[in-house]
Structures are given as C-alpha cells and as structure tokens.
Amino acid sequence: WSRTGAARFAAGSPGPGGTGRAAPVLAALLGLGAVLAYGDRRRRTAQAAQAPRYPRYTREEVGRHRTPQDRVWVTHGTDVFDVTDFVELHPGGADKILLAAGGALEPFWALYAVHSQPHVLELLREYKVGELSPEEAPPAAAATGDPFAGDPPRHPGLRVNSQKPFNAEPPAELLAERFLTPNELFFTRNHLPVPAVDPGSYRLRVEGPGGRALSLSLPELRSRFPKHEVTATLQCAGNRRAEMSQVRPVKGLPWDIGAISTARWGGARLRDVLLHAGFEEEREGEWHVCFEGLDADAGGAPYGASIPYGRAVSPAADVLLAYEMNGEELPRDHGFPVRVVVPGVVGARSVKWLRRVAVSPAESPSHWQQNDYKGFSPCVDWDTVDYKTAPAIQELPVQSAITHPRPGAAVPAGELTVKGYAWSGGGRPVVRVDVSLDGGRTWRVARLAGERPPPERAWAWVLWELQAPVAAGAELEIVCKAVDGSYNVQPDSVAPIWNLRGVLSNAWHRVRVSVRD
C-alpha cells in the first residue's frame, strides 16, 4: 500500500471502490503490528543487554600472542580476535596469516583484495575475544633530539634487521608471490636517517670538468627529458649474510634471503641528462660518475657512491634518475623525490635522495665506495684487511634462493611445490635453475616464469617453480642453484666464499623440511 492508502484505511475512509468496512480489521492489524514492533524492540534491547561484554586489551598485550603455543591473536579495527584454530585452515597457508600474528590485519589485507568481501569479516567475527582499550594511543613520537624521529611509517610485515637506521626485508613467504614487489614490502637499506625533502625547493646539481653545471628542479627533470621505464631487481651486497655468519662471525646486518626486490622504475635516463649538460659519450682515460644523497651523518657527510662513466652514458645500461616506482612517486624510504637506479649493479650504487651528480676522474671518495662493499679472501681478517687492495663491488654474481617451503616446515605427502627467485648481475639472463630434494645428489630442472629478456639486459629476476612427489616420513634437504647466460653457476658451499663483511653470499641455497603423514 501507499502511505495515503494506509492512512485512509486507518481513518475508516474507503479507498477507490471500497466501503470502509476493512477499517476495524486494519486497525486491529496495525495494533498487532505495533505490539509486535514493541515486542521486537524489547527483545533486541534484552539481547543487547545479554550480549557479551568483551574484555579490553592493549596492543602490547595483543602482541604477546604470536605463536600457536601462546595463541595467535590479531586485530581488525578496534576488535581483537584469537585465530589460532583458523591458522591451519587459512586458504593462503598458515605462514601467510602468521605474518600478522600479534598485530593488525589491515596492512596485510590491503595486499590481497579478496579480504574485502563481507563473508570474510563474518567469518572473522566468530573468533572475536576482545576489544582494544579506548585509551589505547598510537605509539608516542620519538624524542625531538632523535635524528630518526622523522622517519616514515613502515609496513608491519617487514622483517626488521635494524631500527636506526632502518633496514628490513620482506617475508620470504611473500617474496616470490608477485613478479613486482609491492612498494611497501620492497626491502629497505638505509645507512642514515631518512631526509625530509620539500619537492618544491628540491634541486639536483649536475657538474664536472668538460660540461656545464646544471641545477634541475623536479618539474624540469620530468619535462625536459623523456621518461624511460625499466623493470629492474635491486639486491643488497649483504643478501643472505646470515648464512655466512653460520660459518664464522661476520660484520654486518643479518640479512636472510630478502635483501632483494624488483620494481618498475620510471624517470630520466642519466645518459640524457649528462649529454644535455655537455658531457661527451666517450672519454679517454678513467672517468667515473659520482652520486651524493641528501642523507647525511652528524658531521654533514652524505651517503655517496659512483659507477664507471661508460656505464652511466651507455644507451644499453638503462641507468635512471628515477622519480617513480611501480607507477607511483618514490616512497620516502626509497629515495623521494629522485634516486639513481643502476640495473645489474649492487644496490649500494643506486643512491637515494639524490642531490648531486658529478663527473670525476676518480671514484667517489665516500666511505661506502672506498672502505665498504668490497670482497676479500677467507684468509683476510680485521687485523690484515686493506680496503685499498680490493675493487668496489659493481656487478653482482649469479644468485638464487628458495622462498617456499620455509626451513623446518612439515609439508604434506604427495606433490610438493618448491618456489624461489633467481637473478644475475650485469644484465646476464638466468637460463636454468636446478633443484635437488636430496642435498645435491640428484637434480631436477625448475620451470622459469616470465618473458625472455633482451640479450644482456636481463635486469629483473626470474621466479621459478618445481613440482615433485614426496613420500610420508621423508626428510628432505632442498637445494637450488642458478646458471646464467655466461654459464656462471653458484658455488656449492659458503666456506670457500666467506669474507669478513659477509658480502656476495651466493652459495647453493639449502632448506631442510620433513614430510608428514
């Protein structure tokens, strides 16, 4: 009925063709409706009164529940959930949901759109055990005198190796899930506090003998030079350092296998900028291009590095002054507003927060070019090391690692899926990845994903996968090794390549797992 018709009936007025006899009936029905509505309201009020009053917890208390032994708690909004009994049922695998253990689900759900569906929240509500305390406040800001107080927020899924300066890697479980690493999970290697840069006043200086000095604003860098895009993997020299420290102690951050990530970078070619500044394509003698960042130590010394001049101006080297990362402006942790990206070369040369580019007959005088990021013999110790005797690391050796399963996992009998990544420096393509399930006695060839890159410009990693049957009760030592286009292959063990800084760790990667019934 329309509201007008209902009003007529309630007043005893006949509707079109009506006689008005239905009025008492309708009045009775409306009276019954009012009684029912009142009863429903009372019932809902009573149910609300009987609804459980959940205990309240602080984030610190939630953070104590990170393992099945301690119960696995997570938060969503202001609610607290005990998802221990759901961990093994999680469609994405137990290892994925455990990444959020003791913390908030939202940063992880943002990576996977499937979680935004209503039925997922309904399922989650079944595990509610409490609520966050109303007075729960965000973490207090760092003291004003702390040089790291202005650092940006980070994704809680990152595995932190140091807070100040901030250095962290993505969880191995997520590393090979996507070809391009999400910006928020890209490994972070900072040497100093993250500078706060005003894009409006930013200027990039380009200078050196034989050219004219330039001072470029961010809009000028974007408008004067064609935008070029490159998909490239960056890897820290210390990736997999933790394995070297198991042979003998080394100095450096204990990186696992995650100090490596891949992005689609966008920006101006360094070659185009140098030629615009009047520098010639070829120079006689030894020349270098030095970079300085806006990040500086307490004495004002900036982070710096350099690459050979020939690589900087080569049209095939694809060196960028990048201002975009995976289609977005550079995040602060990754060099906003401009950074260098040197494909195929150790990440230490891809200087972030770039303020100066200088052509020079000598390498960068920076500590990180002269007295770090160099490899030595296993016989060299801190009493005998002389950094002047070793060249600075540029191109990196062939590398691969297993991302799934994780060490110590108990995998089901049947078909086992092994996943990982492989990459080689200098643009050399990975042509094969060999995988063993018995410590290297027998081998299988993994399937490589992705398109074949141009010759000598294989800047990005390949993701690989192998399926193999495994029997219940077996103990497996899974091993992988990659071969690049020059038939370079990884060494079989760590000891012969051990060095006091723990760099260039690229031995066969080994993961031991058991097969459950």
Side-chain angles (χ1 to χ4, degrees):
W1 286 331
S2 68
R3 294 176 64 183
T4 304
R8 282 201 194 105
F9 259 56
S13 303
T19 62
R21 294 174 183 173
V25 176
L26 182 60
L29 288 173
L30 289 173
L32 177 62
V35 171
L36 291 173
Y38 176 70
D40 182 61
R41 181 180 176 185
R42 286 188 63 190
R43 183 168 59 255
R44 283 188 280 112
T45 302
Q47 288 173 345
Q50 296 170 4
R53 293 190 175 182
Y54 289 101
R56 292 176 172 175
Y57 301 99
T58 65
R59 292 190 186 276
E60 181 182 358
E61 289 173 317
V62 174
R64 297 173 191 158
H65 297 270
R66 295 179 177 273
T67 66
Q69 293 74 25
D70 297 323
R71 308 295 295 178
V72 177
W73 287 14
V74 296
T75 67
H76 187 269
T78 59
D79 293 332
V80 179
F81 305 90
D82 181 344
V83 296
T84 310
D85 297 334
F86 180 70
V87 167
E88 293 299 329
L89 303 175
H90 184 239
D95 54 347
K96 303 294 193 303
I97 195 171
L98 286 174
L99 294 173
L105 286 171
E106 286 90 339
F108 298 92
W109 282 15
L111 299 174
Y112 298 96
V114 67
H115 294 107
S116 61
Q117 300 180 41
H119 75 273
V120 177
L121 281 174
E122 289 178 16
L123 175 64
L124 184 63
R125 290 191 193 103
E126 298 177 16
Y127 297 92
K128 182 173 177 178
V129 294
E131 297 173 350
L132 289 173
S133 299
E135 62 273 12
E136 180 71 22
T144 305
D146 184 354
F148 296 93
D151 273 17
R154 280 92 180 201
H155 195 282
L158 289 171
R159 295 188 171 164
V160 179
N161 288 316
S162 74
Q163 285 284 359
K164 298 178 182 183
F166 187 78
N167 290 281
E169 58 191 296
E173 297 89 336
L174 300 181
L175 199 55
E177 292 294 303
R178 303 180 185 185
F179 180 71
L180 296 180
T181 311
N183 289 357
E184 58 269 37
L185 290 180
F186 202 97
F187 89 94
T188 300
R189 176 65 175 109
N190 294 340
H191 298 82
L192 298 160
V194 176
V197 184
D198 174 17
S201 60
Y202 171 79
R203 292 293 184 276
L204 172 63
R205 297 187 350 253
V206 182
E207 56 196 35
R212 68 180 187 276
L214 293 180
S215 177
L216 297 170
S217 68
L218 185 58
E220 287 170 338
L221 186 66
R222 286 176 173 269
S223 62
R224 289 189 187 180
F225 305 98
K227 179 182 172 183
H228 186 62
E229 291 189 319
V230 177
T231 301
T233 296
L234 295 184
Q235 180 181 220
C236 179
N239 192 31
R240 298 181 58 195
R241 180 182 281 129
E243 295 166 57
M244 277 200 177
S245 66
Q246 294 172 9
V247 174
R248 273 192 283 161
V250 297
K251 181 181 177 182
L253 296 167
W255 296 106
D256 189 25
I257 64 170
I260 183 170
S261 300
T262 300
R264 180 76 173 169
W265 308 95
R269 289 181 191 259
L270 176 59
R271 163 191 166 84
D272 293 345
V273 174
L274 291 174
L275 294 181
H276 179 76
F279 295 100
E280 60 271 26
E281 266 193 84
E282 295 185 9
R283 288 196 154 208
E284 292 186 7
E286 182 180 349
W287 288 88
H288 304 265
V289 177
C290 304
F291 309 114
E292 286 183 6
L294 286 161
D295 50 334
D297 63 18
Y303 181 85
S306 60
I307 60 174
Y309 184 85
R311 182 181 292 274
V313 296
S314 169
D318 292 323
V319 181
L320 291 186
L321 303 180
Y323 44 75
E324 287 183 2
M325 179 179 181
N326 289 329
E328 303 174 359
E329 71 176 20
L330 287 174
R332 284 189 62 208
D333 258 332
H334 298 291
F336 176 83
V338 177
R339 72 171 298 166
V340 185
V341 173
V342 190
V345 166
V346 65
R349 313 303 167 214
S350 290
V351 174
K352 300 187 282 188
W353 312 291
L354 187 65
R355 73 177 185 185
R356 181 172 176 260
V357 175
V359 175
S360 168
E363 282 188 318
S364 168
S366 165
H367 162 83
W368 291 278
Q369 188 80 22
Q370 299 299 325
N371 297 307
D372 203 350
Y373 298 120
K374 295 183 177 183
F376 295 94
S377 168
C379 69
V380 175
D381 60 25
W382 289 106
D383 293 326
T384 60
V385 65
D386 181 359
Y387 273 93
K388 295 183 179 65
T389 63
I393 299 170
Q394 293 285 342
E395 295 181 2
L396 287 170
V398 63
Q399 175 73 281
S400 71
I402 299 161
T403 60
H404 177 85
R406 298 298 295 138
V411 301
E415 187 172 74
L416 172 66
T417 298
V418 184
K419 296 180 181 180
Y421 65 77
W423 179 78
S424 191
R428 293 179 292 275
V430 170
V431 296
R432 196 179 78 236
V433 174
D434 299 326
V435 180
S436 172
L437 302 184
D438 54 14
R441 289 187 294 275
T442 62
W443 297 90
R444 297 171 170 84
V445 177
R447 180 179 63 84
L448 307 183
E451 299 178 1
R452 185 179 296 275
E456 302 307 315
R457 295 172 81 176
W459 307 129
W461 62 14
V462 296
L463 303 181
W464 56 264
E465 188 172 303
L466 176 83
Q467 281 87 32
V470 293
E475 297 291 327
L476 308 179
E477 183 183 10
I478 309 173
V479 181
C480 71
K481 60 181 175 74
V483 182
D484 72 17
S486 297
Y487 285 97
N488 298 307
V489 65
Q490 295 170 252
D492 64 355
S493 58
V494 175
I497 60 171
W498 183 95
N499 59 87
L500 76 176
R501 277 292 278 120
V503 295
L504 307 171
S505 181
N506 73 324
W508 296 357
H509 189 222
R510 300 170 184 268
V511 169
R512 290 176 172 84
V513 302
S514 58
V515 184
R516 64 176 184 264
D517 294 335

